[in-house]
Amino acid sequence: MSTSMVEIRNLNKWFGRNHILKNINLSVKRGEVIVILGPSGSGKSTLLRCVNLLEPVNSGEIRVGEDIITDPKINIYKARQKIGVVFQHFNLFPHLSVMRNVTIGCTEVLKMPDEEANKIALKYLERVGIGVKANVYPSELSGGQKQRVAIARALAMQPQVMMFDEPTSALDPEMIGEVLSVIEDLAKEHRTMLVVSHEIGFAREAADRTIFLDDGEIIEEGTPKEFFSNPKTVRAKAFLDKVL
């Protein structure tokens, strides 16, 4: 079995004439936490969306676990079950309770019995500190609570990889900390995680490796200590001068 959970090779993505991702090569080890940094429009979110084929790729290969998900013969719906995704906006079903928002993937996709799905959902709702809200509806929750429900929903599918696409960008400042704390705790469990974030403090604390993306290219990568204390490229230094 490969020691890497995600392998991206020579990935290219175009939107019309715009070359969004340019020959991306990235290997993510099992249990590794990667934080992807870069300016707006650099291709960070598109990269995540390509990893589970929410965006089709134009060329290159992506492997997740043992699946080559860019293989035209792959059952992409089954492959996606291994990839949990938490977006900027929570994408909860407003007409369903918190519990049902979490169990719906388990029952409808994994075909779990309701009783088993409910146990798993409550386990992960409690894991993210929101078990007491299991029977309320999304309209009764704060933004931070909604995002924690979204995290529990992704975890309940028991994915091999967790991906977070700027999970705090839609939150009020006082709610950012509660969500980042949950994600930091997950990182300590040695889950394989890809996180797009502008939260520098989180990147310093939680990442095993930071990736700096600019204009669709990975131009620098290293440990947080290496990247933040001694960036190697002029572009990365300029970026850090603005955000630190």
Side-chain angles (χ1 to χ4, degrees):
M1 183 178 291
S2 172
T3 58
S4 64
M5 179 60 74
V6 180
E7 287 281 350
I8 302 171
R9 290 287 172 260
N10 302 315
L11 173 64
N12 286 275
K13 172 64 182 175
W14 295 76
F15 288 124
R17 295 182 178 182
N18 295 321
H19 198 178
I20 304 301
L21 297 173
K22 304 170 182 175
N23 295 312
I24 297 291
N25 288 278
L26 178 63
S27 179
V28 183
K29 297 176 183 176
R30 295 172 187 272
E32 188 176 26
V33 178
I34 302 287
V35 175
I36 303 170
L37 302 170
S40 297
S42 59
K44 304 184 300 297
S45 294
T46 300
L47 176 57
L48 291 195
R49 291 175 67 83
C50 285
V51 170
N52 69 346
L53 292 192
L54 286 172
E55 291 290 349
V57 305
N58 293 104
S59 66
E61 182 179 280
I62 303 173
R63 177 177 61 78
V64 178
E66 303 306 314
D67 296 326
I68 306 296
I69 65 167
T70 45
D71 184 339
K73 299 176 184 176
I74 194 77
N75 181 335
I76 189 56
Y77 300 104
K78 193 165 185 178
R80 280 186 185 138
Q81 294 173 22
K82 300 178 181 180
I83 308 168
V85 186
V86 178
F87 298 97
Q88 299 177 34
H89 300 287
F90 327 113
N91 298 337
L92 302 181
F93 295 108
H95 62 292
L96 299 180
S97 69
V98 164
M99 176 68 85
R100 187 61 183 134
N101 264 282
V102 178
T103 61
I104 192 167
C106 298
T107 58
E108 301 303 313
V109 178
L110 301 182
K111 305 302 181 184
M112 261 183 213
D114 289 346
E115 184 177 354
E116 182 182 357
N118 288 340
K119 285 181 181 178
I120 288 173
L122 188 57
K123 170 186 173 182
Y124 286 111
L125 286 168
E126 290 176 346
R127 176 69 186 77
V128 300
I130 203 169
V132 295
K133 300 290 187 180
N135 296 316
V136 308
Y137 286 80
S139 62
E140 302 172 66
L141 301 177
S142 70
Q145 290 171 331
K146 289 176 184 176
Q147 193 60 296
R148 284 188 279 162
V149 173
I151 294 170
R153 178 179 59 189
L155 290 170
M157 297 292 287
Q158 301 176 62
Q160 294 180 349
V161 179
M162 283 288 289
M163 300 199 304
F164 298 84
D165 186 6
E166 298 190 21
T168 60
S169 65
L171 300 179
D172 293 333
E174 66 267 23
M175 297 176 185
I176 290 174
E178 68 183 62
V179 172
L180 288 180
S181 178
V182 169
I183 301 173
E184 286 176 7
D185 285 346
L186 295 175
K188 292 173 185 174
E189 296 174 1
H190 303 294
R191 296 176 180 269
T192 308
M193 291 167 48
L194 285 165
V195 186
V196 169
S197 180
H198 292 296
E199 300 295 332
I200 300 303
F202 168 79
R204 287 182 187 273
E205 292 296 320
D208 295 307
R209 190 157 39 115
T210 54
I211 303 295
F212 183 70
L213 201 64
D214 186 55
D215 194 27
E217 297 182 273
I218 295 176
I219 65 169
E220 193 159 338
E221 63 180 284
T223 66
K225 183 177 181 181
E226 291 168 345
F227 179 72
F228 289 111
S229 64
N230 188 30
K232 298 178 178 64
T233 62
V234 172
R235 183 64 187 93
K237 289 176 182 177
F239 174 80
L240 291 174
D241 285 343
K242 292 180 179 178
V243 300
L244 293 180

